[in-house]
Each structure stands twice: as C-alpha cells, then as structure tokens.
Amino acid sequence: MNLRVPLLAMALACGLQGGGALATSALQPAQARAAGQVLLDALKRNDSQAVFDLLSPDLQKLTTVERVRERLQRQGTILGSRITEVSTGVDDSTVEAELRGTSGSRPLVLVLDGRGRLLGWELDQQDTPIRQIANNFITALSQGRVVEARSLLIRSLQEEISPQDLLNRWKNLEKLTGTFQRLRSTVVASEGGPQQLVLVTTQFQRVTDNLFVIFDPEGHIIGVDFPEDPAQPGAPLP
C-alpha cells in the first residue's frame, strides 16, 4: 500500500466558473435568520427530533433521531445563542452564530438550503486537541455516523463532498483492508503551523495502517489520506 491519494483536497483555487448573474433559490436574509433561529432554539432545547426534522434529506438518509440525540448529549448544555451575521448565495444561505455554554462561547456556522434545512455546519474546534478530533472523525466513520464525521470537515470541504460520498469512500477502504477493528494509536506529527498532521494507526481485519488527517490552524479537517490499492490508481475528489 505505497500509493496514497487524498480522499479530500482543498480544490478552491480554481474558483467558480460561470457567466452572468444567476437566479437565486436561496432564502432571503430575513428568512435565513428566522430558519437559523428555529434550529438554534431546537439545539438549546436539546430537541433531537426537531433537529432531525430540520436536516436536509441527504443528511436525514444517513442518520437517525437517536444518533442526533447522542450527538447533542455529547455537545453539552447550551445556555443561550445569538445570530451574528447572515449571508445568502445562489442556492444556500450562511448563518453565523455564537453558542454560549457552561465553558464559554463558541462560534457556529450553519449552511441552509432554500427551504431552511441544514446542509452542513462548522463548530469552532480550537479548544479540542487535534488528536481527539482525528480520533472522533475516524471513530464516527467506522460506526456509520457519517453526518457527524462530515461536520468535522472545514465548511468548504463539506460543500465538495456529500455524506453519501464520504460513506462510499469508507466502504471502498474497507473493501481493501477488511472491516474496521479498532484504533491502535494516534500520533500528532505536526502541530501549530498552517497545516497540522495527525496519524491515526487503525487496525482493520486484514491490515493495520496509518490514516493521515490534515488540519488547518483552527482545528478543522482540510484533508484525509487513506491507503489506496496500487492496482487501482485513484483520484482525489474534485
């Protein structure tokens, strides 16, 4: 397994292609603010059913109300929240907010579709060691909690890869390595720079290998490198 290709890569340098102005299907700013507030209120109430109902169809397909409940319990109590900024694009809206908990405040970014349903989110991770985030990411993938794993990616990558794409990549990995068994160790290879690297030694049914998880300075995952079958040359996701 000498050949490795990035599972996810920052592919934003090419920019957006296209000509003139496009008709928008996104919410108006006031609508996006209202939809974001509904979601924030559900988070504060710890209402897993309400949060699940506000997920986009693609996210709902790959999670359950019970998994949402477990995730909310791990996040801790939310004492309050406030929306700090709202912006709209061609087909989605971005709501920036601040969550206040027992340990202080954390920024939260919500991406909503034209019906106010959640497409993805980005929660500040600066207080969480990147070693733990890498473990959380691989563990979530191995347990089928793809929506949770995807939320640990930087928001721009969430726009590049759907939950189903991420699940398919993990399944393809297990076709090569055998089923996931356990995490053996985690090593921080590089920390504190513009790119940080964590090596997660993972035991599968047929092989034990390192999965490389790459972070930005704020603790968001900007790339993942899985082992690739030498007989099957792969290509990074666009």
Side-chain angles (χ1 to χ4, degrees):
M1 296 189 193
N2 295 324
L3 179 62
R4 291 183 178 273
V5 298
L7 164 67
L8 305 171
M10 294 297 285
L12 305 178
C14 296
L16 296 176
Q17 298 180 357
L22 298 174
T24 178
S25 61
L27 297 171
Q28 294 299 311
Q31 295 172 316
R33 177 179 290 272
Q37 190 61 59
V38 170
L39 183 53
L40 291 172
D41 291 343
L43 291 173
K44 183 180 178 181
R45 296 194 311 270
N46 208 28
D47 189 338
S48 53
Q49 182 65 61
V51 172
F52 178 85
D53 291 342
L54 292 168
L55 300 179
S56 69
D58 284 345
L59 295 186
Q60 287 183 346
K61 290 176 184 177
L62 293 171
T63 191
T64 63
V65 175
E66 181 58 35
R67 284 181 175 174
V68 173
R69 181 180 298 112
E70 292 171 355
R71 175 69 183 272
L72 293 178
Q73 289 173 346
R74 289 196 299 272
Q75 289 294 337
T77 302
I78 296 174
L79 301 177
S81 64
R82 68 182 184 94
I83 294 175
T84 58
E85 187 172 343
V86 176
S87 58
T88 59
V90 174
D91 56 5
D92 59 37
S93 304
T94 302
V95 177
E96 298 182 37
E98 185 177 86
L99 298 181
R100 181 168 54 85
T102 55
S103 59
S105 298
R106 301 176 68 186
L108 171 67
V109 178
L110 306 172
V111 181
L112 308 176
D113 68 11
R115 297 181 62 182
R117 299 169 302 190
L118 187 64
L119 294 170
W121 67 94
E122 184 180 79
L123 184 64
D124 179 71
Q125 299 285 343
Q126 291 193 67
D127 295 334
T128 306
I130 57 175
R131 178 181 182 276
Q132 180 180 333
I133 299 171
N135 279 345
N136 292 346
F137 176 74
I138 300 301
T139 299
L141 276 180
S142 70
Q143 295 178 354
R145 294 185 279 114
V146 185
V147 173
E148 181 175 338
R150 181 171 170 267
S151 73
L152 297 174
L153 305 178
I154 194 169
R155 182 159 42 100
S156 54
L157 282 186
Q158 295 184 42
E159 297 171 358
E160 297 290 327
I161 180 172
S162 71
Q164 187 62 55
D165 289 337
L166 187 56
L167 178 61
N168 291 342
R169 287 288 178 143
W170 181 260
K171 288 182 176 179
N172 288 338
L173 172 66
E174 289 192 316
K175 288 178 183 178
L176 174 65
T177 62
T179 57
F180 171 86
Q181 303 293 311
R182 65 186 179 96
L183 299 182
R184 298 191 61 169
S185 64
T186 307
V187 176
V188 177
S190 175
E191 188 172 15
Q195 288 193 352
Q196 308 180 88
L197 176 63
V198 176
L199 279 61
V200 183
T201 304
T202 309
Q203 182 176 324
F204 295 93
Q205 184 180 16
R206 292 193 292 270
V207 68
T208 297
D209 210 331
N210 288 315
L211 309 180
F212 297 3
V213 185
I214 308 164
F215 293 84
D216 70 2
E218 285 72 44
H220 299 118
I221 297 175
I222 60 173
V224 183
D225 203 14
F226 285 173
E228 188 76 16
D229 186 352
Q232 301 289 332
L237 289 176

